[in-house]
Amino acid sequence: MSVLPPVPLPFGAIPLRGDAARAVAAVRLRALAADLPDGLTVRMMDLDDSNLLADFRVRVVATLEDPDHYRMAGEVGNFVADHLGDRGLTAGIFRKGALVAYGALGLPSAGDHNRGRDLDLPESELPWVAHMSSAMVDPSERGRGLHHRLIDWRIEVAEALGRRHLVTTVSTRNHRSWGHLARHGIYPKRLVRVGGDLGRLLVHRDFT
């Protein structure tokens, strides 16, 4: 995927969210679309896709070999509404109109839950955090590089938006997922507890 230059943000600027962030993300989607295997298309998802995304997530989670690989109990807030609305960005990959993969990026603002606090980032850095929330691929489409492409897209979008800290949590038992993230420079930094008693790796990439 070719990399477009980041959007210049003046010092002290408020990070983009909502429609402005979606416009930046949509531009970065062009490279992903051009790089997809034959028969697949990609587009930005929005609140009209809420039921589609919710049903897809439930179906994919039900196929996991180890239920600990992804537990929705570890999520904060309303994942679907947040990532299809103003608190995030989501790209969906489709085959003949059916959703087969998605990648979601969370854009926390003041007052929102922010994984940067788990890294002990200073308050001044928290506005520049993006959450590499989750990506899922239909079992029938795995092994085609879709997860890696969705990681690349979210990295490009976060950097373009000036979100210089990319953070997420991943199951310690989900070696494939955190191995994929590490290949893109998103490395484990510490162990944290989420959803009450779920042990997770906190992974982070700093663009500075």
Side-chain angles (χ1 to χ4, degrees), residues 27-54:
V27 170
R28 268 69 191 174
L29 209 59
R30 297 171 189 167
L32 173 56
D35 191 42
L36 285 175
D38 291 343
L40 298 177
T41 59
V42 64
R43 65 171 173 83
M44 297 295 299
M45 301 183 74
D46 58 31
L47 288 169
D48 289 339
D49 297 304
S50 294
N51 290 339
L52 178 65
L53 181 59

Side-chain angles (χ1 to χ4, degrees), residues 56-65 67 70 72 136 139:
F56 178 78
R57 282 163 43 82
V58 170
R59 180 165 59 83
V60 172
V61 167
T63 70
L64 297 177
E65 296 177 3
Y70 196 95
M72 294 183 184
M136 295 186 187

